[in-house]
Amino acid sequence: MYTQALNSSDGEDRHVEDAARAAQFQARIDAEERIEPNDWMPPAYRKTLTRQISQHAHSEIVGMLPEGNWITRAPSLRRKAALLAKVQDECGHGLYLYAAAETLGSSREELVDAMLAGKAKYSSIFNYPTLTWADIGTIGWLVDGAAIMNQIPLCRCSYGPYARAMIRVCKEESFHQRQGFEIMLTLCRGTDEQKAMAQDALNRWWWPVLMMFGPPDQASQHSDTSTKWKIKRFSNDELRQKFVDATVPQAQFLGLTIPDPAMKQNEAGNWEYSAIDWEEFKQVLAGNGPCNRDRMAARRKAHEDGAWVREAAMAYAAKRRQRAALQAAE
Ligand code: 3HC
């Protein structure tokens, strides 16, 4: 009886202590303080950040596949060099982000295995095919444009390692977006066939790019906590609207038509767009998009083919640790 009473009062003390720590944590967030890896944080804060940062990293790595497909087919050496640099950048973004996720306690192996097992997501946008060279221009212009819209606020995320990774990523994203827009401008000022190719790519990518920002706010299961903890600074719909408002004038400058005949500008200057097909979004997230199986098969094969490199690196690191220990013992 006495032990039970003791345990329950222990339990109450612990509960009071956790509530006090959570309140202290929230006060730090509200005061715009940065949370660092060794700081106390609610388990749910750690969990949602590991989820978002690792999925962000997976998106960067899987995102290399659709563009990598065109490196050998770029129309000029200059275009090939820019695309090569961009794809290499995306790999680097993935590494920064895996490193940021690892500061929360999960290993890179665990995070990558979760994606390869289909238990962790990557951005829906990378499950669409790149059918023509205009797709490469559209990805740079729109996909990286949307990524910038989403990533600039993440530079002010409450979690230090994520925010700092984003500052470096955003600098490189601007180059990605500019080179994509320049490809589109060249095509739109080219032959009729080239302009038609640019319009066809815009028609195919416009709606999947709007889905990149996530489900509508009322269906977003993480937004409330992510906003409370200042991981998210704007809602999914707010960023989507900012992106649409910034992109429509660019399409007009290119002489391209947004594939949404009902789109119109309201008095506030915002471009109102038609309903998004969230069923398509759900299907892509469920693995039924045009390229989901190809992307996962390519990532699983690359992971298997790269096993020997990881083993060699681990063996070399172990050897160096052993040698350092022997030298320290001398
Ligand atoms: N693709 C895949 N899954 C998506 C998604 C998308 N476009 N949008 C939302 N989801 C998932 C969420 O991950 C969540 O599932 P989970 O619980 O299994 O993680 C579910 O749908 C509900 O969505 P929420 O809005 O509640 O989720 P979030 O609050 O996490 O918001 C997000 C989604 C806006 C994508 C947010 O996670 C985020 O800002 N992530 C960081 C940015 C990012 O990952 N961008 C992806 C593209 S990276 C890129 O474009 C690289 C560039 O170099 C080309």
Side-chain angles (χ1 to χ4, degrees), residues 176-239:
H176 299 172
Q177 199 268 355
R178 294 310 303 155
Q179 63 88 40
F181 185 79
E182 200 222 0
I183 290 173
M184 296 305 272
L185 191 58
T186 309
L187 291 171
C188 290
R189 290 181 174 167
T191 62
D192 292 350
E193 290 78 14
Q194 287 173 328
K195 180 149 188 200
M197 187 164 69
Q199 182 64 60
D200 165 62
L202 175 57
N203 294 345
R204 284 184 286 107
W205 286 88
W206 175 253
W207 294 104
V209 167
L210 296 195
M211 295 174 199
M212 273 179 76
F213 291 93
D217 290 350
Q218 66 275 17
S220 172
Q221 73 205 66
H222 299 292
S223 278
D224 289 350
T225 44
S226 291
T227 306
K228 184 181 81 167
W229 282 331
K230 298 191 179 172
I231 297 167
K232 259 185 185 176
R233 295 286 181 164
F234 297 97
S235 76
N236 296 358
D237 287 330
E238 283 172 333
L239 287 181

Side-chain angles (χ1 to χ4, degrees), residues 48 51-53 55-57 59-60 63 67 86 90 93 119-126 139 143-144 146-147 150-151 154 162 166 169 173 176 208 211-216 219-223 226 232 236 239 281 285:
T48 203
R51 172 193 65 83
Q52 175 164 331
I53 302 173
Q55 293 185 154
H56 197 162
S59 304
E60 301 282 1
E67 293 180 299
K86 176 178 191 306
E90 308 299 9
H93 296 174
K119 293 194 189 101
K121 297 181 169 72
Y122 57 88
S123 186
S124 51
I125 193 66
F126 297 122
I139 287 177
V143 174
D144 288 75
N150 162 284
Q151 291 170 166
L154 286 171
Y162 195 22
M166 280 295 103
V169 166
E173 293 293 11
H176 299 172
M211 295 174 199
M212 273 179 76
F213 291 93
S220 172
Q221 73 205 66
H222 299 292
S223 278
S226 291
K232 259 185 185 176
N236 296 358
L239 287 181
F281 177 72
L285 260 59

Side-chain angles (χ1 to χ4, degrees), residues 21-31 228-229:
R21 294 182 99 171
Q24 226 177 17
F25 175 82
Q26 191 58 50
R28 292 193 62 200
I29 295 281
D30 296 343
K228 184 181 81 167
W229 282 331

Side-chain angles (χ1 to χ4, degrees), residues 31-272:
E32 293 291 345
E33 285 184 28
R34 272 277 155 84
I35 306 301
E36 296 298 337
N38 294 332
D39 293 345
W40 185 86
M41 59 185 83
Y45 178 83
R46 185 184 303 275
K47 188 166 173 245
T48 203
L49 272 171
T50 301
R51 172 193 65 83
Q52 175 164 331
I53 302 173
S54 62
Q55 293 185 154
H56 197 162
H58 301 332
S59 304
E60 301 282 1
I61 301 299
V62 174
M64 294 165 71
L65 292 169
E67 293 180 299
N69 194 11
W70 277 87
I71 290 174
T72 54
R73 297 186 274 166
S76 72
L77 185 59
R78 179 168 169 268
R79 293 292 187 211
K80 182 200 279 267
L83 183 57
L84 204 51
K86 176 178 191 306
V87 172
Q88 282 173 322
D89 280 351
E90 308 299 9
C91 181
H93 296 174
L95 299 184
Y96 301 150
L97 288 162
Y98 282 128
E102 284 178 304
T103 64
L104 289 156
S106 305
S107 74
R108 188 161 313 190
E109 290 71 23
E110 282 169 282
L111 300 172
V112 172
D113 288 349
M115 192 267 286
L116 295 175
K119 293 194 189 101
K121 297 181 169 72
Y122 57 88
S123 186
S124 51
I125 193 66
F126 297 122
N127 288 306
Y128 290 84
T130 44
L131 304 177
T132 72
W133 176 249
D135 288 46
I136 300 304
T138 306
I139 287 177
W141 172 38
L142 296 184
V143 174
D144 288 75
I148 292 171
M149 201 59 87
N150 162 284
Q151 291 170 166
I152 292 282
L154 286 171
C155 297
R156 292 186 296 122
C157 166
S158 57
Y159 188 58
Y162 195 22
R164 291 188 288 271
M166 280 295 103
I167 292 170
R168 174 72 186 268
V169 166
C170 287
K171 287 193 170 77
E172 293 169 346
E173 293 293 11
S174 344
F175 145 64
H176 299 172
Q177 199 268 355
R178 294 310 303 155
Q179 63 88 40
F181 185 79
E182 200 222 0
I183 290 173
M184 296 305 272
L185 191 58
T186 309
L187 291 171
C188 290
R189 290 181 174 167
T191 62
D192 292 350
E193 290 78 14
Q194 287 173 328
K195 180 149 188 200
M197 187 164 69
Q199 182 64 60
D200 165 62
L202 175 57
N203 294 345
R204 284 184 286 107
W205 286 88
W206 175 253
W207 294 104
V209 167
L210 296 195
M211 295 174 199
M212 273 179 76
F213 291 93
D217 290 350
Q218 66 275 17
S220 172
Q221 73 205 66
H222 299 292
S223 278
D224 289 350
T225 44
S226 291
T227 306
K228 184 181 81 167
W229 282 331
K230 298 191 179 172
I231 297 167
K232 259 185 185 176
R233 295 286 181 164
F234 297 97
S235 76
N236 296 358
D237 287 330
E238 283 172 333
L239 287 181
R240 201 180 342 261
Q241 186 62 62
K242 283 160 81 87
F243 171 76
V244 170
D245 290 345
T247 307
V248 171
Q250 293 171 358
Q252 289 170 339
F253 178 79
L254 290 170
L256 295 177
T257 309
I258 300 277
D260 180 358
M263 182 178 255
K264 63 181 186 323
Q265 197 169 22
N266 62 26
E267 300 81 64
N270 301 120
W271 285 93
E272 292 173 0

